[in-house]
C-alpha cells in the first residue's frame, strides 16, 4: 500500500530498494516480534514490520506533521491496533519506553550527520529496551563513524552500504 510521506529537504524516506533489502535480512526475525521505530518519519519501516507479521510496533517521532502521518498511515493500513506512537524527541522518549516490554528489533534512522546514532546507542547500551537476542539496525550516512560500538557492548552482525545510506546491524556482545 502506498503510504503518505512529507516532502521536503528535512525528510529522507528509506528507498523501496533499501527497504526491501532490509526486510530480506530481517525476514526470520520479524514474525511475532516487538518492533521499535526510532526517528520514525512517516512510520513506513515500522508499518512494513507490522505488515510482515510483527506483533507490535512503537513509533517515536518529534515532528508534528510526521506524527500525524504515522497515525494516518496506521489507520489507512488498519494496523493502528498493533502500533503505538510516542510523540517527542527520541532522547526524551527513551526513558518512557522503559515501561514497555523489551523490543526484539530496534530500528533507528536519525537525521544524518548529527551524531544522534552515538547518543541513542549509548542510551540503548545501558537500557533494558533490547530483548535478549534482539537486534539494533541503524540507518546512517556511509561516512558515519561506528568505531565505538564495541565499547558500548555491541557486536556488528552486518554492515551494508547502499549508495547514500548504510545499515549497521548490531546485537549485544
Amino acid at each position: 500500500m502506498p503510504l503518505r510521506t512529507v516532502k521536503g529537504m528535512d525528510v529522507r524516506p528509506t528507498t523501496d530498494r533499501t527497504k526491501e533489502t532490509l526486510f530480506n535480512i530481517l525476514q526470520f526475525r520479524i514474525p511475532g516480534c516487538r518492533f521499535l521505530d526510532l526517528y520514525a518519519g512517516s512510520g513506513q519501516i515500522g508499518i512494513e514490520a507490522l505488515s510482515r507479521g510483527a506483533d507490535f510496533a512503537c513509533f517515536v517521532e518529534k515532528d508534528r506533521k510526521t506524527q500525524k502521518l504515522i497515525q494516518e498511515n496506521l489507520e489507512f493500513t488498519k494496523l493502528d491496533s498493533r502500533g503505538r506512537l510516542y510523540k517527542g524527541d527520541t532522547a526524551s522518549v527513551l526513558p518512557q519506553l522503559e515501561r514497555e516490554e523489551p523490543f526484539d528489533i530496534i530500528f533507528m534512522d536519525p537525521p544524518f550527520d548529527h551524531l544522534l546514532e552515538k547518543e541513542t546507542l549509548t542510551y540503548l547500551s545501558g537500557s533494558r529496551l533490547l530483548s535478549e537476542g534482539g537486534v539494533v539496525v541503524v540507518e546512517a550516512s556511509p561516512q558515519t563513524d561506528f568505531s565505538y560500538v564495541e565499547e558500548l557492548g555491541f557486536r556488528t552482525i552486518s554492515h551494508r552500504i547502499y549508495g547514500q545510506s548504510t545499515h549497521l546491524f548490531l546485537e549485544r556482545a
Side-chain angles (χ1 to χ4, degrees):
M1 293 182 166
L3 300 179
R4 294 187 58 212
T5 60
V6 174
K7 306 287 186 229
M9 297 294 287
D10 295 335
V11 180
R12 182 191 31 77
T14 303
T15 66
D16 288 340
R17 185 173 183 182
T18 302
K19 186 169 43 172
E20 187 66 31
T21 302
L22 169 68
F23 282 97
N24 284 342
I25 293 167
L26 294 174
Q27 67 182 323
F28 299 112
R29 293 178 180 261
I30 296 287
C33 83
R34 291 181 49 80
F35 195 95
L36 176 57
D37 190 350
L38 298 174
Y39 309 93
S42 66
Q44 68 170 328
I45 299 296
I47 290 171
E48 184 75 20
L50 288 170
S51 74
R52 290 176 181 244
D55 278 351
F56 181 75
C58 276
F59 302 83
V60 178
E61 180 54 52
K62 73 174 186 177
D63 182 78
R64 290 180 191 261
K65 287 181 187 174
T66 49
Q67 290 169 359
K68 185 176 183 216
L69 275 182
I70 292 169
Q71 200 59 53
E72 289 173 1
N73 284 334
L74 281 167
E75 290 167 8
F76 173 70
T77 57
K78 300 187 180 359
L79 295 168
D80 50 318
S81 66
R82 294 175 28 219
R84 182 174 303 130
L85 172 60
Y86 282 82
K87 299 175 180 180
D89 179 75
T90 295
S92 62
V93 171
L94 283 172
Q96 296 174 46
L97 289 169
E98 297 283 352
R99 294 183 295 232
E100 295 278 350
E101 291 180 40
F103 296 93
D104 304 301
I105 300 172
I106 299 175
F107 178 83
M108 54 188 258
D109 182 7
F112 284 5
D113 304 322
H114 287 86
L115 303 177
L116 295 171
E117 301 87 1
K118 186 172 186 177
E119 177 184 326
T120 305
L121 287 170
T122 299
Y123 183 91
L124 293 175
S125 71
S127 79
R128 58 165 226 83
L129 291 175
L130 185 62
S131 68
E132 189 166 325
V135 64
V136 177
V137 182
V138 184
E139 185 165 327
S141 159
Q143 293 78 33
T144 303
D145 174 29
F146 288 107
S147 62
Y148 58 86
V149 295
E150 287 184 12
E151 295 169 20
L152 294 177
F154 291 107
R155 181 175 69 85
T156 301
I157 304 169
S158 181
H159 189 189
R160 307 285 176 106
I161 298 174
Y162 323 93
Q164 299 301 311
S165 66
T166 185
H167 282 151
L168 182 69
F169 295 80
L170 303 168
E171 65 183 5
R172 291 195 197 273

